[in-house]
Amino acid sequence: MEEEPFEAKITKVIISEASKELSSASHSDVIIVGAGPSGLTAAKYLAENGLKVYVLERRLSFGGGIGGGGMLFPKIVASREAEDIVKDFNMHYRIVEDLIVVDPAEFMAKLATGAIDAGAKIINGIHVEDVIFRDNPLRICGVAAIWSAIELSGLHVDPLFFYSRAVVDATGHDAYVLRVVEKKLPESRIKVPGDKPVYSEVGDKIVVEKTGRVLPGLYATGMAVAALYGLPRMGPTFTGMLLSGRKVAEVIVNDLKGR
Ligand code: 48F
């Protein structure tokens, strides 16, 4: 038989390996929606605890709001309460006026590397459009998702399902998953007022305090928490995002390992 043409091999390997990955993602411990700072931080600490974690991100890259720095000035700042997390991710940083300063490219890359090295998988280009639920009692047990390119095209194509023991809304200001639940599951009594104007210090703190379980199976981290509870914005300081990501991981580990 004729030797397999190189082009055929490329296609076959991409499709078969991606299919294996997506099949594995169809049933996991935790689906994190959004690969911004809070989602990536959560992914590392969850995966380190032996959980099977997938991060579904609708863009073709990770990092969420990190890349833009503050008004496109390429530096990220955080308070020193987050220093142990920055160290956990092996970031180079400087302390200036008691603030941690990191380059956005490094911040994004190291958060993603930390999550990946811990065993989490990040899949880009996937838009989460709905949740899977069970009733009596109400619980969230996964998401429905579709390639972002299909979503952008406006074509009517059904999604596929990714079942998980926990779903984390890490979609930032959009609080996309929480808004789906607000709209489609009124019995959840979830209301998402959106975040308040800026009060950085307060916003950075309460967002961490309020981080946790929203419903059985549904958790929120990062700016999605601020949108859910109407908390003040903190703007381009990332303390709350890092601490919130670590906290949601702790809450989920506690919930899942207890079951
Ligand atoms: O917005 P984002 O960075 O969220 P975060 O982790 O951090 C917020 C900060 O960046 C900053 C701030 C505080 O310092 O104000 O804004 O809370 O990342 C959210 C990610 O979720 C993706 C989106 O593309 C982004 O990368 N995302 C949003 N909706 C969906 C989604 C969806 N439906 N499906 C998949 N990914």
Side-chain angles (χ1 to χ4, degrees):
M1 194 179 139
E2 188 199 346
E3 203 186 314
E4 186 169 43
F6 188 49
E7 290 84 354
K9 190 156 74 178
I10 291 169
T11 302
K12 190 183 71 187
V13 170
I14 287 176
I15 291 177
S16 68
E17 288 301 298
S19 296
K20 274 188 221 153
E21 187 72 71
L22 291 168
S23 303
S24 173
S26 68
H27 194 172
S28 66
D29 290 316
V30 188
I31 295 280
I32 298 174
V33 186
S38 63
L40 292 174
T41 306
K44 171 187 167 71
Y45 292 115
L46 285 162
E48 272 178 1
N49 274 280
L51 295 171
K52 183 176 173 187
V53 180
Y54 281 87
V55 183
L56 305 183
E57 165 55 54
R58 79 169 155 207
R59 296 189 205 158
L60 293 182
S61 60
F62 47 75
I66 296 169
M71 213 177 125
L72 286 184
F73 285 87
K75 291 292 169 194
I76 293 297
V77 296
S79 306
R80 296 192 73 173
E81 293 146 82
E83 198 168 349
D84 53 339
I85 301 181
V86 166
K87 283 185 181 157
D88 277 353
F89 280 91
N90 292 318
M91 293 183 195
H92 297 96
Y93 65 97
R94 297 196 305 132
I95 302 293
V96 181
E97 300 198 25
D98 219 27
L99 287 176
I100 297 166
V101 182
V102 187
D103 291 345
E106 171 153 9
F107 200 72
M108 285 192 267
K110 292 273 173 80
L111 286 177
T113 305
I116 293 164
D117 286 349
K121 295 277 188 175
I122 304 171
I123 308 184
N124 288 111
I126 291 193
H127 168 79
V128 168
E129 63 166 45
D130 208 344
V131 294
I132 306 171
F133 80 105
R134 296 290 181 266
D135 49 12
N136 302 318
L138 181 63
R139 100 186 138 89
I140 302 302
C141 45
V143 298
I146 194 138
W147 298 120
S148 306
I150 296 178
E151 200 255 334
L152 288 167
S153 75
L155 291 172
H156 184 160
V157 179
D158 267 324
L160 283 176
F161 308 122
F162 297 87
Y163 192 92
S164 63
R165 298 165 75 199
V167 172
V168 183
D169 188 332
T171 63
H173 296 261
D174 292 353
Y176 193 96
V177 180
L178 297 170
R179 287 188 205 277
V180 165
V181 174
E182 173 188 32
K183 191 167 148 212
K184 300 177 84 172
L185 290 170
E187 64 271 39
S188 70
R189 294 170 195 265
I190 286 184
K191 293 274 174 273
V192 189
D195 51 63
K196 281 209 176 98
V198 180
Y199 190 168
S200 293
E201 218 170 341
V202 169
D204 239 356
K205 278 198 174 45
I206 331 184
V207 80
V208 184
E209 277 166 37
K210 294 280 193 183
T211 293
R213 186 178 347 112
V214 181
L215 285 177
L218 179 62
Y219 301 78
T221 183
M223 284 310 289
V225 176
L228 175 62
Y229 297 108
L231 310 180
R233 286 182 78 172
M234 67 291 294
T237 161
F238 286 76
T239 325
M241 300 301 103
L242 298 175
L243 294 174
S244 170
R246 183 172 65 184
K247 183 173 174 194
V248 84
E250 286 163 3
V251 173
I252 294 171
V253 167
N254 200 38
D255 284 359
L256 296 193
K257 296 235 158 145
R259 267 193 247 155

